[in-house]
Amino acid sequence: MSDAFTVLWTHDTCRALRKEGRTGERPPVAFSGVHSSLPAWSGARAGDEVYALHVNRGVVFVVSRMRVIDRERRDCCGTAPATWQDPAFSGHGDWSMLGANGCGAAAVHVDATPVRLDMPIPGDLLAGLTWRNRRGQTRGLKYVMDGRLERSISLQGFYRLTSESAGELAKIVDTPAP
C-alpha cells in the first residue's frame, strides 16, 4: 500500500517557479536533502504520493501532487559533479529551484501534476488535516485560526499524511482548473 506525504515549498521556490515560467508544467524531478533547508524524503518509496504545499498570507495551497517513480541518479540527471563548483544535476537545470543545489541533494524522479499556485485548501479542511508518524500517532496542524495558518512551522519538513487527509488533498488536486 502506498503512502502520501507533504513537503513545504518556500516563497523563494514558488517565486522561482513563477519567474521561470514553470507554472502549468509537470516537474519530472524533485530533490531530497540532508539539511533542514531541503527536507529528506527518506520515508518515500516508489508509488508514494507527495503533496507540495505552499503558504501565502495564511492560506495553504497545494502546488503539485508528485508520485514517486524512483530515487536513483539516472542519465537524465547529467554527469555527476567532478568538483564542488560543478552543478549537481546539470540535466535538471530547468527544475533546479526545487533544490538541486541543496546540501546533499538527491534526485527524486516523479510523475507530477502541473504546478499550480491557485489551489487553496479550504480553511475548514485545513484545521482537520492530520499526519501520522511511524508509531501510528496522529497530529494536526498547529496555529490554525479562523481557517488560516498563522505559522507554517508545523508544515516544515516531510511528513506522512493519514489516508483520510491524503484523500481530501487528492480531491482538491483532482478538481479541474478554473
Side-chain angles (χ1 to χ4, degrees):
M1 177 179 206
S2 63
D3 285 323
F5 299 85
T6 59
V7 65
L8 183 66
W9 283 358
T10 65
H11 286 291
D12 289 341
T13 299
C14 291
R15 188 177 306 115
L17 286 165
R18 192 177 300 113
K19 181 181 174 189
E20 296 298 322
R22 299 289 168 239
T23 54
E25 294 184 19
R26 296 173 184 266
V29 67
F31 297 93
S32 173
V34 297
H35 186 266
S36 61
S37 63
L38 188 60
W41 292 36
S42 56
R45 293 187 167 81
D48 288 346
E49 293 183 339
V50 179
Y51 291 88
L53 305 179
H54 174 62
V55 181
N56 189 4
R57 295 187 175 114
V59 179
V60 180
F61 295 86
V62 180
V63 180
S64 182
R65 176 179 56 204
M66 299 170 282
R67 182 165 288 114
V68 175
I69 297 171
D70 66 41
R71 299 182 56 194
E72 305 296 323
R73 185 176 189 100
R74 298 187 194 165
D75 291 341
C76 64
C77 296
T79 58
T83 71
W84 65 270
Q85 295 171 327
D86 297 335
F89 297 94
S90 59
H92 294 301
D94 289 349
W95 295 95
S96 63
M97 75 283 293
L98 298 182
N101 300 317
C103 185
V108 180
H109 294 95
V110 296
D111 177 22
T113 60
V115 169
R116 290 181 53 191
L117 299 170
D118 63 347
M119 285 190 292
I121 298 174
D124 57 334
L125 175 58
L126 188 63
L129 287 178
T130 53
W131 289 260
R132 66 176 168 81
N133 63 20
R134 292 182 189 263
R135 293 172 289 201
Q137 298 168 322
T138 61
R139 70 161 178 92
L141 279 177
K142 295 179 182 178
Y143 310 111
V144 177
M145 299 293 292
D146 300 323
R148 299 177 67 80
L149 187 64
E150 294 188 346
R151 296 183 186 171
S152 63
I153 190 74
S154 56
L155 280 179
Q156 294 174 1
F158 190 80
Y159 300 112
R160 184 180 322 249
L161 284 162
T162 61
S163 58
E164 297 82 14
S165 290
E168 293 296 329
L169 292 182
K171 288 178 191 174
I172 293 170
V173 172
D174 293 337
T175 301

